[in-house]
Structure formats: structure tokens, C-alpha cells
Amino acid sequence: MILKAIGVSRRYFRQGKGKNFFYAVEKTDLTLASGVLTEITGRSGSGKSTLLNMLAGLLEPTEGQVLLDGADLYAMDDRERSRLRNASIGVIPQGQTGLHSLTVLENVKLPSLLYGKEPCSDERAEKLLERVGIAELKDVYPNELSGGEMRRLAIARALVMDPGVILADEPTGDLDDENTREVLSLLRHCADEGAAVLLVTHETEAAAYADAVYKMSDGVLAEV
């Protein structure tokens, strides 16, 4: 599976004197290919998350196209794009995204319950929780989890559909060194199994797991 950005940019308007807009992401080309782990690093506010959200089908570019195996994400309506994202793109967002009315296990299984699909088995969901180190917490609720445990829940949920593309936005935030290495190894393993993986991170050691490294600065993406 190939996810490709062609000339994408994101512009925001602002009030005040002088230029009344700015680019969070300048015009950018990027290809994420099966079996490749791509890292984007850069300071907060440099445009990394904005680019990831455009690639995920969550934020429409001001210009350009995002193609998943040749299909233009933003030529689709919202429902069609959501179906495709649910089936093919695993997004690991920043922040805490668990549904507090569901247990950890139910949160992991949630993507498989959408759009009338057959739910994944408890066994598969438990194996994913085991891979991220929180299998013993399967029956608790998100408000009982630490920040790092919530992050690992989000990783397991993103992998439950066996997505061809994985987009991870600071997936090791709130994790200690040991768990950071485990998550990076897991994402490396996903790429080795054939997924196209994008890792947006501040972690300096992440480059050792990547096939291609880019740096983003003031909305401009450049290969390192």
C-alpha cells in the first residue's frame, strides 16, 4: 500500500496588519511505501502534526492531493473517506483519545465494530494489549489509566484492523525509556511486516529504527 502527498499545503488566515495568512505546511511531496518506516522530526509548531492529519484524511489540504493506492482521499465524501480510513489507515494521535464509557478491551475492539463489520475477537484484542504491555488492564476504564497507559491503548487500537498505513503522532510521549524502545520496535516490526509507517517524534533514538528521516521546520519538509 502506498500513501502519497502531492503538492499538499495548509494555509491559515489571521487578523491583523501585514500578511493575512500563514502556511502551517508549505507545498510538500511525500511518499509512504509498504515496508518502509519514515520518521519526521522537528520542533513543536513546525507543521509535523498538520501534515500527518492531512495524510490521515482528517484535515483537508489547502492545495494538493493525498492518494492512497491512487485513490484521492479528498475527492471522496466524508463517509466514504471515513470508511477507507477505518479499514486501511491506523492513526495514533497525540493526547488521550479513549472512550471513557468503554473498557480498555472494548476501546481496542471499537474500530472493528464500525460500519457493520465483524468484530475482532477478544483474543486478538488481548494479544495487541499484551504487545503494548497493558494486557492486565483490559477490564479497567480509561479514567483509571496513566498517560503512558492511555498512549499504549491508542497504539493497540490503531493496529486492530491490520492497517496498510500507520500514522503515529508522538506515540512515545509519556513513556519511559524501556517502553519507548518497545513501541519503536513494534512500529519497526509493523513496517517489516509490510505496513507503510510514518513516525512523527521528538525522540532522538527513533532514527535508528527508521528507513528514511525528514526534518520539518517552519512548515518546510526536508530529508535529512
Side-chain angles (χ1 to χ4, degrees):
M1 186 165 283
I2 296 177
L3 183 64
K4 182 177 291 189
I6 303 174
V8 297
S9 68
R10 182 66 186 185
R11 183 176 65 218
Y12 290 98
F13 289 91
R14 58 189 172 194
Q15 296 180 339
K17 296 180 180 179
K19 187 182 290 187
N20 65 347
F21 66 87
F22 71 97
Y23 279 94
V25 175
E26 299 278 359
K27 191 173 288 189
T28 297
D29 296 326
L30 181 65
T31 298
L32 305 178
S34 295
V36 176
L37 193 157
T38 301
E39 178 195 355
I40 298 179
T41 186
R43 293 183 178 180
S44 297
S46 62
K48 306 185 305 297
S49 294
T50 300
L51 177 58
L52 183 147
N53 286 329
M54 289 192 289
L55 292 169
L58 295 168
L59 179 66
E60 186 169 1
T62 304
E63 305 168 281
Q65 295 176 296
V66 178
L67 307 178
L68 180 61
D69 281 350
D72 187 342
L73 294 186
Y74 294 99
M76 303 175 185
D77 61 32
D78 286 343
R79 185 173 178 80
E80 185 181 8
R81 185 165 57 249
S82 294
R83 279 181 174 272
L84 181 62
R85 182 171 57 243
N86 178 259
S88 302
I89 303 175
V91 181
I92 304 169
Q94 288 193 53
Q96 300 184 5
T97 59
L99 294 183
H100 289 266
S101 60
L102 302 179
T103 66
V104 166
L105 186 69
E106 290 167 341
N107 265 283
V108 171
K109 293 175 64 176
L110 183 60
S112 72
L113 298 171
L114 300 175
Y115 304 110
K117 296 177 178 177
E118 183 177 347
C120 82
S121 66
D122 285 357
E123 181 182 7
R124 168 161 170 72
E126 288 170 10
K127 284 183 178 179
L128 286 169
L129 288 171
E130 187 176 341
R131 289 177 76 180
V132 298
I134 55 170
E136 73 282 2
L137 300 175
K138 66 177 184 177
D139 295 322
V140 307
Y141 289 85
N143 63 354
E144 302 173 65
L145 301 180
S146 68
E149 289 164 347
M150 283 287 289
R151 190 61 54 92
R152 285 179 275 176
L153 164 59
I155 294 168
R157 187 179 56 204
L159 299 180
V160 74
M161 299 295 289
D162 282 326
V165 176
I166 299 169
L167 306 176
D169 194 355
E170 299 288 356
T172 57
D174 301 320
L175 299 183
D176 59 25
D177 290 345
E178 180 180 356
N179 283 304
T180 290
R181 288 190 292 272
E182 289 181 1
V183 167
L184 293 175
S185 295
L186 176 57
L187 293 174
R188 177 67 258 174
H189 179 69
C190 290
D192 291 340
E193 289 189 327
V197 180
L198 175 63
L199 171 61
V200 168
T201 183
H202 288 95
E203 297 288 347
T204 55
E205 67 182 281
Y209 297 80
D211 300 298
V213 180
Y214 293 80
K215 184 175 182 179
M216 201 150 201
S217 179
D218 296 327
V220 177
L221 187 70
E223 190 165 8
V224 176

